[in-house]
Amino acid sequence: MIIAIANQKGGVGKTTTAVNLATALAAIGKRVLVIDSDPQGNASTGLGVGRKDREPSLYQLLIGDVPAADTVKPTAVPGLSLIPATSALSGAEVELVSTDRRTHRLADALATLPPFDFMLIDCPPSLGLLTVNALVAADSVLVPLQSEFFALEGLSQLLGTIDRVKAGLNRRLELLGIVLTMVDRRNRLSDQVCDDVRAVMGAKVLKTMVPRNVRLSEAPSHGLPALIYDSRCLGSEAYVALARELLGRIDARLALAG
């Protein structure tokens, strides 16, 4: 299954979710690939792949310079691989505009890879061509949503983009769920935001919430997922629970489809 982790707002926990959810899935024996589709390359950093080790990267894959298999890098997590990003990716959106199948470049490339149980695409904070490529390649979308006052602002635009991609480019695309991140249960505003999001979005919101946790913030500076940096911290425990909940939701969806 290919999951795009998307939200056009920055700082909502997309990369933290991609890295730690991937690690949790790999820890239970799944074969996982993270695709770093953000020119900032934070997922690559968080998985310990240094800048000098990122070539060839997603940029070369999208513009057609190299086959997808040549961009896949191992990580320190058994069963978890990475297609890294470099700053060159920021120019890809302009370069792809005049190319054939510009919205399907990522989907076409990933289709040539040997099978993974899960591919997680860490999208950039925009709804540009890189994110559209991710949505076209994906089976489903996971939306991290920060528990702050403006949480719902922009969500309707993202959901509208998902609907348009589904209607015109990728019929199989579904919303897997919305995960509330950076939740501070000591803060009444945070609790109120969580309640408001659930009131508006209902069952689309996952039960698991990711707390605001300093260990989640520290882990990338060590080039490690939080689940390896500190497996017992509240953030790590939340991502293990999130992996279990998502697997249950996926199994239920497959059972209905079957």
Side-chain angles (χ1 to χ4, degrees), residues 173-253:
L173 186 65
E174 300 288 348
L175 177 64
L176 181 57
I178 297 167
V179 57
L180 291 163
T181 61
M182 305 181 191
V183 177
D184 185 351
R185 303 312 299 263
R186 301 166 300 178
N187 185 324
R188 290 181 60 189
L189 175 60
S190 184
D191 273 346
Q192 184 61 55
V193 169
C194 292
D195 290 343
D196 289 348
V197 172
R198 292 188 188 281
V200 173
M201 303 306 300
K204 293 177 181 177
V205 183
L206 292 151
K207 294 178 181 178
T208 303
M209 297 186 291
V210 179
R212 188 176 292 277
N213 181 251
V214 67
R215 306 299 268 178
L216 288 178
S217 302
E218 290 174 353
S221 67
H222 296 270
L224 293 171
L227 273 79
I228 293 178
Y229 179 64
D230 184 351
S231 62
R232 296 183 180 181
C233 74
L234 292 176
S236 294
E237 291 175 352
Y239 278 111
V240 171
L242 178 63
R244 290 197 192 103
E245 184 176 359
L246 287 175
L247 288 171
R249 186 168 283 208
I250 291 166
D251 287 345
R253 184 174 292 178

Side-chain angles (χ1 to χ4, degrees), residues 57-140:
S57 67
L58 183 63
Y59 170 74
Q60 284 90 353
L61 184 155
L62 290 177
I63 65 172
D65 279 357
V66 297
D70 288 357
T71 66
V72 177
K73 309 288 192 286
T75 73
V77 181
L80 175 55
S81 300
L82 169 75
I83 295 179
T86 67
S87 58
L89 189 60
S90 60
E93 293 197 274
V94 175
E95 294 179 51
L96 290 176
V97 167
S98 60
T99 63
D100 293 335
R101 292 179 62 79
R102 62 181 179 271
T103 58
H104 289 71
R105 304 287 286 197
L106 183 57
D108 293 344
L110 296 182
T112 68
L113 290 173
F116 286 83
D117 296 309
F118 289 94
M119 297 183 183
L120 305 184
I121 308 172
D122 183 28
C123 296
S126 74
L127 294 177
L129 196 51
L130 289 173
T131 297
V132 171
N133 261 268
L135 296 178
V136 171
D139 301 298
S140 57

Side-chain angles (χ1 to χ4, degrees), residues 5-12 14-15 37-40 42 122-128 130-131:
I5 299 176
N7 189 329
Q8 74 269 30
K9 290 188 71 175
V12 299
K14 288 189 297 294
T15 299
S37 188
D38 187 343
Q40 297 177 82
N42 291 335
D122 183 28
C123 296
S126 74
L127 294 177
L130 289 173
T131 297

